[in-house]
């Protein structure tokens, strides 16, 4: 599997709690479901997918840096770090890979502090409020971006 046929899926803090955590907002599907949905979507395009979830900002940043060596793009749900983390944004910007930002819930219909994303303008794809299925949309759209870059 070459670099150009692999994606990194990153889930940030608290997303390990999917299925347990506020099901009225995040639904009943688990992180395993998220990773399966994204892996299947990637496979449908002939891409492998490496999945990582961490509650630790530095672990996420190290994984993003490492993706530069062997991935063609990154799908990320940064969890609450979306709204707080300049360093996560800087890591995504630094690697220069195409980025898809995903949120399970509609952050714009929730508290005002969730309306700002530090990741928004370093991402080329945004999938907001489509539930766990949104990860498949994000993979589809990110692969289209990668294909466009390759073709171009
Ligand atoms: C997940 C979180 O953990 C929140 O902190 C974000 C996002 C929303 C989601 O909808 O997937 O505000």
């Amino acid at each position: 599997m070459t670099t150009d046929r692999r994606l990194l899926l990153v889930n940030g803090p608290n997303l390990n709690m999917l299925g347990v955590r506020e099901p009225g907002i995040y639904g009943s599907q688990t992180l395993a479901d998220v990773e399966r949905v994204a892996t299947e979507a990637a496979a449908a395009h002939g891409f492998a997918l490496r999945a990582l979830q961490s509650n630790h900002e530095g672990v996420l940043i190290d994984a993003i840096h490492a993706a530069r060596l062997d991935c063609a793009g990154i799908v990320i749900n940064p969890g609450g770090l979306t709204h707080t983390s300049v360093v996560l944004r800087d890591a995504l910007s630094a690697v220069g890979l195409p980025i898809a930002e995903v949120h399970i819930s509609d952050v714009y219909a929730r508290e005002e502090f969730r309306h700002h994303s530090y990741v928004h303008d370093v991402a080329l794809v945004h999938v907001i409020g489509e539930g766990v299925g949104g990860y498949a949309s994000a993979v589809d759209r990110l692969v289209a971006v990668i294909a466009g870059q390759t073709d171009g």
Side-chain angles (χ1 to χ4, degrees), residues 60 67 91 93 143:
L60 301 173
S93 182
V143 167

Side-chain angles (χ1 to χ4, degrees), residues 11-15 18 21 25-26 77-83 102-107 110-111 113-114 128-129 135:
N11 280 290
N14 300 308
L15 290 161
L18 285 174
R21 171 192 191 199
I25 294 174
Y26 297 104
N77 182 345
L81 294 173
T82 306
H83 320 297
V102 184
H103 299 291
I104 294 168
S105 66
D106 181 358
V107 286
R110 299 180 62 192
E111 303 95 323
F113 65 82
R114 296 185 201 275
I128 314 290
Y135 285 84

Side-chain angles (χ1 to χ4, degrees), residues 1-148:
M1 186 68 63
T2 57
T3 297
D4 58 337
R5 308 301 286 180
R6 185 183 298 105
L7 303 177
L8 176 67
L9 170 65
V10 178
N11 280 290
N14 300 308
L15 290 161
N16 57 311
M17 297 293 286
L18 285 174
V20 174
R21 171 192 191 199
E22 300 174 90
I25 294 174
Y26 297 104
S28 57
Q29 289 184 282
T30 65
L31 179 62
D33 294 322
V34 165
E35 294 181 348
R36 179 182 43 76
V37 161
T39 299
E40 288 175 1
H45 297 287
F47 276 70
L49 182 140
R50 180 163 73 239
L52 167 99
Q53 187 278 330
S54 179
N55 296 320
H56 304 279
E57 199 170 35
V59 172
L60 301 173
I61 289 168
D62 287 345
I64 290 164
H65 289 175
R68 187 174 59 86
L69 302 176
D70 69 352
C71 292
I74 299 174
V75 176
I76 183 165
N77 182 345
L81 294 173
T82 306
H83 320 297
T84 64
S85 183
V86 172
V87 294
L88 188 70
R89 174 215 168 88
D90 285 350
L92 291 167
S93 182
V95 293
L97 293 171
I99 308 293
E101 177 186 11
V102 184
H103 299 291
I104 294 168
S105 66
D106 181 358
V107 286
Y108 298 111
R110 299 180 62 192
E111 303 95 323
E112 197 167 338
F113 65 82
R114 296 185 201 275
H115 296 184
H116 178 259
S117 166
Y118 280 98
V119 172
H120 185 273
D121 63 358
V122 297
L124 296 172
V125 171
H126 306 93
V127 180
I128 314 290
E130 295 186 17
V132 166
Y135 285 84
S137 307
V139 167
D140 291 345
R141 291 172 55 193
L142 185 63
V143 167
V145 167
I146 292 165

